[in-house]
Amino acid sequence: MTRFEKKVWLSSPTMHGDEIKYVTEAYETNWMSTVGANINEVERLAAEKVGCKYAVALSAGTAALHLCTKLAGEALYGMPKAGEGSLRGHKVFCSDMTFDATVNPIAYENGEAVFIDTEYKTWNMDPVALEKAFEIYPDVRLVVLVHLYGTPARVDEIRTICQKHNALLIEDAAESFGASYKGKQTGNFGDYSAISFNGNKIITGSSGGMFLTDSKEDAEKVRKWSTQSREAAPWYQHEEIGYNYRMSNVIAGVVRGQMPYLEEHIAQKKAIYMRYKEGLKGLPVQMNPYDAENSEPNFWLSCLIIDKDAMCKQVRGETEALYIHEKGKSCPTEILERIAAMNAEGRPIWKPMHMQPMYMSHAFITANGNGRARTNAYIAGGIQDVGADIFARGLCLPSDNKMTPEQQDAIIQTIKECFE
Ligand SMILES: *Cc1c(COP(=O)(O)O)cnc(C)c1O
């Protein structure tokens, strides 16, 4: 088995040179705060790329999602009193198979997340399950949708359902910057949208995020909230709760230097995805799927899912996993172990939120009803838990854009050996 001298990462930052130029510029001119030319420029560039009117640079994608959620809460239920979240106990439908940063802002605003099951077609929110959820909870007025691993969700179907039920949509495009759906960039489809420049995203500022909108009023509100909600007055005057969520001009310098390389990174990630797809042909596995007719992913992470009948025995507790190797079969735990032994980084699929201990008491709706009603495994009493199934059979492969074709071939070889 090959062992790489230098670790092959899942997805790590790739710098190009201009980043340090803009950071130095900020340094030498003493623009080392949350004001400056880099911030203005990255906001302009992001809005231009996505095709929306306004972008507000923030300290993280999570901060952007929090302020999206707060805007939605206030639009729906009015301004809260201090200490009272804007969602005030109201239920919110949200993607289930995702990073917890998508859904935690609902809790920050005192709402109650209801998890909507995943579809096999894109690994994103299942429109059928969403419609089912509105049947069960007709009063819900807010939906949070993620484009997982850079693959656009079925936006038209989801938006149509939202409109039918008079609900607002928050779009978490943290992983999908540069991906498009029916020719339009993701980050354009929500009433409120967010992207991230976290260190492992397709381009990075080391950290950072952005709120995206066509509404001047919302952009101004987010700008104000993110800088402690100061009113126009000679002293620190506050009418609303504020946050320290603004992007630093130093971070913005890194993002500014990265922006011109977004398309290059996407091309590299796509080549990685295609090489896996080709190299894994003949094995009982599929790559993470996308709707090629209507969408162009940014291919942020390449993932695979093992065919049901090619899964060896695998058991997962809350923090540990065990498996038994079987001839001709494998499982994510085995493949991840073997990849780690090569000094490369893979990762399980995002563990669905309805399976997380902190959200165990929250409702979970599948295409055929209340997902909490199932008695065991993934299929029982007609209830199919797609998220749990993809989590059990899927994994994220090393997808770093600095990985060489030779390194990738060695990883493919190791995966083949897992099935021997
Ligand atoms: C990374 C990520 C976030 C959060 O972005 P940060 O910039 O890390 O705060 C939110 N949602 C998803 C789906 C993400 O992958």
Side-chain angles (χ1 to χ4, degrees), residues 59-63 65 98-102 146-148 172-175 195-201 207-209 300 350:
S59 57
T62 308
L65 286 162
T98 184
F99 185 39
D100 70 339
T102 308
V146 68
H147 305 291
L148 206 74
D172 178 357
E175 299 179 357
I195 52 174
S196 164
F197 301 113
N198 178 302
N200 66 9
K201 299 302 196 292
S207 64
W300 175 55
W350 295 125

Side-chain angles (χ1 to χ4, degrees), residues 93-95 116-119 122 124-131 134 142-147 152-171 181-182 189-191:
F93 294 150
C94 58
S95 290
I116 308 300
D117 200 14
T118 308
E119 59 167 10
T122 67
N124 286 307
M125 184 187 285
D126 182 354
V128 178
L130 180 62
E131 187 65 72
F134 276 111
L142 181 59
V143 175
V144 183
L145 175 71
V146 68
H147 305 291
R154 297 243 301 270
V155 178
D156 272 359
E157 287 86 342
I158 303 278
R159 271 168 53 117
T160 302
I161 296 168
C162 287
Q163 277 154 12
K164 183 174 147 198
H165 297 278
N166 206 12
L168 295 172
L169 181 69
I170 292 175
E171 181 189 18
Y181 174 83
K182 296 193 176 171
F189 296 105
D191 293 289

Side-chain angles (χ1 to χ4, degrees), residues 159-418:
R159 271 168 53 117
T160 302
I161 296 168
C162 287
Q163 277 154 12
K164 183 174 147 198
H165 297 278
N166 206 12
L168 295 172
L169 181 69
I170 292 175
E171 181 189 18
D172 178 357
E175 299 179 357
S176 68
F177 189 36
S180 60
Y181 174 83
K182 296 193 176 171
K184 236 169 113 175
Q185 291 282 307
T186 59
N188 242 315
F189 296 105
D191 293 289
Y192 317 97
S193 302
I195 52 174
S196 164
F197 301 113
N198 178 302
N200 66 9
K201 299 302 196 292
I202 193 117
I203 63 164
T204 183
S206 74
S207 64
M210 229 172 249
F211 168 74
L212 305 169
T213 185
D214 282 334
S215 159
K216 186 159 190 253
E217 198 187 328
D218 286 345
E220 280 170 0
K221 221 180 250 182
V222 165
R223 220 174 280 267
K224 178 182 167 190
W225 287 347
S226 70
T227 50
Q228 305 289 16
S229 296
R230 287 180 65 186
E231 299 299 328
W235 43 80
Y236 276 70
Q237 176 83 6
H238 303 286
E239 292 177 7
E240 294 176 90
I241 294 289
Y243 305 85
N244 182 6
Y245 277 176
R246 193 75 165 126
M247 183 183 279
S248 139
N249 195 48
V250 179
I251 298 290
V254 182
V255 177
R256 186 177 177 183
Q258 289 262 289
M259 281 284 193
Y261 296 93
L262 174 61
E263 295 306 324
E264 184 181 309
H265 287 193
I266 293 173
Q268 291 163 340
K269 296 275 192 181
K270 183 171 183 175
I272 289 168
Y273 180 97
M274 293 305 169
R275 196 175 190 89
Y276 275 128
K277 194 178 163 99
E278 190 57 36
L280 296 171
K281 262 189 191 150
L283 289 182
V285 304
Q286 317 296 326
M287 294 299 290
N288 49 325
Y290 61 97
D291 177 1
E293 214 172 290
N294 294 310
S295 70
E296 181 64 20
N298 70 3
F299 300 94
W300 175 55
L301 291 190
S302 287
C303 308
L304 66 74
I305 182 163
I306 300 170
D307 294 349
K308 279 196 174 112
D309 54 11
M311 278 284 289
C312 68
K313 278 201 184 67
Q314 171 189 251
V315 188
R316 280 177 172 154
E318 287 302 344
T319 55
E320 283 174 310
L322 293 170
Y323 68 92
I324 301 170
H325 179 79
E326 290 172 64
K327 207 172 155 47
K329 298 183 175 186
S330 190
C331 63
T333 306
E334 178 175 32
I335 296 173
L336 288 168
E337 260 184 33
R338 296 281 283 269
I339 286 175
M342 300 176 77
N343 198 25
E345 185 188 25
R347 193 195 269 166
I349 298 298
W350 295 125
K351 183 174 178 176
M353 288 301 120
H354 79 275
M355 298 169 75
Q356 300 288 356
M358 70 175 167
Y359 286 125
M360 218 57 103
S361 65
H362 290 229
F364 167 55
I365 309 301
T366 70
N368 34 19
N370 179 358
R372 297 287 185 200
R374 72 192 192 282
T375 51
N376 66 49
Y378 317 122
I379 303 169
I383 300 291
Q384 187 175 20
D385 182 340
V386 176
D389 182 36
I390 296 174
F391 175 62
R393 297 192 287 124
L395 68 125
C396 306
L397 297 162
S399 307
D400 197 63
N401 52 351
K402 294 175 293 309
M403 175 170 61
T404 65
E406 293 72 32
Q407 289 174 321
Q408 198 182 344
D409 288 343
I411 291 162
I412 291 167
Q413 182 55 34
T414 294
I415 298 169
K416 286 183 177 159
E417 287 164 13
C418 289

